[in-house]
Amino acid sequence: MKSYKTPCALAAVSMLLLTGFADESGKGVSPDAALKVISDGNKRFVAGTPERPNQSPAHRAKVALKQTPHTVVVTCSDSRLSPELIFDQGIGDLFVVRTAGNTADPENLGSVEYATAVLGARLVVVLGHDKCGAVDAAMKGGKLPGNIPAAVKPIQRALPKTKISLDEGIAINVKAVEKVLSTKNKMTADMVKSGQITVKGAIYDMASGTVRFLD
Ligand SMILES: [Zn+2]
């Protein structure tokens, strides 16, 4: 797999660091605490007992001044998967990076780098989901119109040539993005190594609402 370099993101981050945007960077909750917050939120969502935290007008006004999200969610654009709803979180809690098929394009990597290095998010969740149309299209191949090939190519690069099921393809794609963030993309890999961030893969089950974290 090719290595990713994001000089523009690095330059932007350096500039933001210099201009003092990062004064709270790394001061958020620990990766484990963030994982517990979203796991508990998902349990409430599944049970149909959401608390809908951090959505009051006062909170909205507070975070308008400054954002310190605890978790980055790299996920699919699918209309049936809304990170704030399924993790029962509010405004300013999650920094969400969405493309069809939750891929590790340089643009997406730059967004993750900004959320972690500049805004101080400590947990990165790569979240795929069952019945993913983007992974399905990538597996089926063939000619696709417009810019859709650009959306499915990163998924196709992650998939093996052997015959696999859609569920296997979805999990392999999540693990591939998790691996890029954890080991291949220097800026996030360095943060993983130092313990500043944790990267977790997960699969969302649309019918039950359950998020299953992968090891
Ligand atoms: Zn999808």
Side-chain angles (χ1 to χ4, degrees):
M1 187 181 284
K2 72 172 185 179
S3 67
Y4 292 90
K5 289 182 183 141
T6 53
C8 292
L10 281 170
V13 167
S14 301
M15 206 167 82
L16 289 165
L17 288 168
L18 286 171
T19 51
F21 272 71
D23 60 334
E24 293 293 318
S25 181
K27 289 183 183 170
V29 297
S30 71
D32 284 350
L35 184 60
K36 180 160 175 28
V37 165
I38 61 167
S39 298
D40 289 350
N42 181 242
K43 280 179 195 147
R44 296 194 297 271
F45 173 71
V46 170
T49 54
E51 290 175 359
R52 299 189 180 93
N54 298 336
Q55 293 170 38
S56 67
H59 181 79
R60 188 175 65 217
K62 185 182 150 205
V63 293
L65 301 172
K66 183 176 186 176
Q67 62 169 325
T68 53
H70 53 73
T71 298
V72 184
V73 184
V74 180
T75 194
C76 184
S77 302
D78 195 293
S79 63
R80 297 161 293 180
L81 191 173
S82 176
E84 282 83 0
L85 292 179
I86 69 167
F87 290 121
D88 193 23
Q89 296 296 290
I91 297 166
D93 292 331
L94 306 178
F95 191 101
V96 180
V97 182
R98 297 184 78 164
T99 49
N102 42 272
T103 54
D105 285 344
E107 293 85 351
N108 289 357
L109 294 173
S111 297
V112 175
E113 289 166 352
Y114 172 74
T116 50
V118 179
L119 301 180
R122 305 289 307 277
L123 175 66
V124 181
V125 176
V126 181
L127 182 64
H129 66 97
D130 64 331
K131 304 181 187 74
C132 183
V135 176
D136 191 39
M139 289 175 71
K140 283 179 177 150
K143 200 164 162 48
L144 295 163
N147 290 297
I148 297 175
V152 300
K153 260 190 189 127
I155 306 170
Q156 287 170 330
R157 282 199 295 269
L159 296 174
K161 300 280 176 263
T162 51
K163 192 162 172 54
I164 53 171
S165 69
L166 178 56
D167 282 346
E168 286 170 324
I170 289 162
I172 288 168
N173 184 49
V174 165
K175 295 296 279 181
V177 175
E178 187 187 339
K179 191 172 175 187
V180 169
L181 286 164
S182 300
T183 63
K184 293 183 184 298
N185 183 59
K186 184 170 178 3
M187 198 162 156
T188 48
D190 285 351
M191 285 188 276
V192 168
K193 212 182 277 178
S194 71
Q196 185 179 333
I197 64 169
T198 294
V199 181
K200 296 283 284 183
I203 308 280
Y204 176 64
D205 181 81
M206 294 197 295
S208 69
T210 307
V211 173
R212 176 171 56 90
F213 289 94
L214 308 174
D215 291 319

